[in-house]
Amino acid sequence: MEKPFILHMLTTAKNLSPFDVNMAMDAGWISAIPYINVEPSEVRGLVQDAIFSRSPKGLLRTAIFIGGRETKQAMDMLKMAKNSMVPPFEVSVFADPSGAFTTAAGMVAAVEKELAEKFDTTLEGKNVIALGGTGPVGQAAAVIAAQAGAKVRIIGRQLDKAERTAELCSEEFGDGKIMVLAGADADKAEYMKTADVVFATGAAGIELLSTELISKAAQLKVAADVNAVPPAGIAGIDAFDNGKPLAGSTSGAVGIGALAIGNIKYQAQSRLLKRMLESDQPLFLHFEHAFEVAREFIKSTK
């Protein structure tokens, strides 16, 4: 009898995300086993318990998902999990803390689509502003956009925190191959004058960009908001908007709402979960792979 598909789901939080459990089961994992309040130091032991309990063939039906709340912690746990494998005893591992990696991938891929279709251009060389960008989604989106060639600036209420986050994105997540800058929220009006793209990735229910600032953004092309809770993070954007002209824009900018982004996020997460099911080699998946499959999904809908 063939072994059942088992996904071991690790989180440092006190609860495992029901969203992630539903996604895993719908993707075809027969069992989604939760491990809560996991300390990073426990990852090695948990991984090796999983890999040594099955034959290499049985391990093709075994994988690990890493949730939690923090991007760096999740990436560190992913690296630790990878380093805990003992070939041929290996399993796939997928990190997506708070859904941030797949959400960011969906947002950047959606922006890329609008730039191509509405403005016949790419992210290469574009000025990108990540409002409320010190959180998990903002961090991942900043790195993805910078890797695609954009000039990215993370904006936060506290400049020192924004600077620490920008350095983390550049050095830790970007391996020193990209440069993400920082800025203070108090100066966002100045940054908006030259912004081509805006990501709103702050806390739910807080307006980060007003109609007044939108009207003064002379070269704004696309504004994307991951906030589905009123008021919108960007004035004039509805959660269902998907390339709709942005109210108040004098530059012909278009808006992308949270539910339009969420559809791509859903597809990205589902496809990566299924990729682990189908692969005959161990995979180690994070925000870069999420962006890859988000792009694939958008391409498939054309």
Side-chain angles (χ1 to χ4, degrees), residues 120-139:
D120 193 26
T121 190
T122 68
L123 280 166
E124 182 73 37
K126 300 299 182 294
N127 294 321
V128 175
I129 306 299
L131 300 176
T134 58
V137 176
Q139 292 173 30

Side-chain angles (χ1 to χ4, degrees), residues 53-106:
S53 61
R54 284 183 154 180
S55 68
K57 182 179 179 181
L59 290 177
L60 294 175
R61 291 169 166 257
T62 314
I64 294 170
F65 178 89
I66 296 173
R69 300 292 182 188
E70 298 180 16
T71 50
K72 183 179 185 307
Q73 189 175 65
M75 289 297 286
D76 287 346
M77 290 170 69
L78 176 64
K79 291 175 185 176
M80 193 175 302
K82 183 176 182 179
N83 291 336
S84 299
M85 304 299 170
V86 183
F89 297 93
E90 299 174 281
V91 298
S92 293
V93 187
F94 174 22
D96 193 17
S98 296
F101 290 170
T102 46
T103 298

Side-chain angles (χ1 to χ4, degrees), residues 3 13 25 28 32 41 44 66 100 105 115 143 151 175-176 192 196 207 211 237 239-240 243 259 264 271 278 293:
K3 303 290 186 183
M25 301 294 279
S41 61
R44 182 179 180 86
I66 296 173
L115 285 173
V143 175
K151 302 172 184 177
D175 294 325
M192 284 302 300
D196 295 292
E207 184 179 275
T211 302
I237 291 186
F240 289 95
L259 295 181
I264 306 172
R271 289 181 180 212
E278 297 164 357
V293 296

Side-chain angles (χ1 to χ4, degrees), residues 195-237:
D196 295 292
V197 174
V198 174
F199 300 149
T201 61
I206 299 175
E207 184 179 275
L208 299 173
L209 188 62
S210 66
T211 302
E212 180 183 1
L213 289 183
I214 290 171
S215 68
K216 295 178 181 179
Q219 62 187 57
L220 183 63
K221 297 171 179 63
V222 186
D225 182 13
V226 298
N227 176 26
V229 179
I234 297 176
I237 291 186

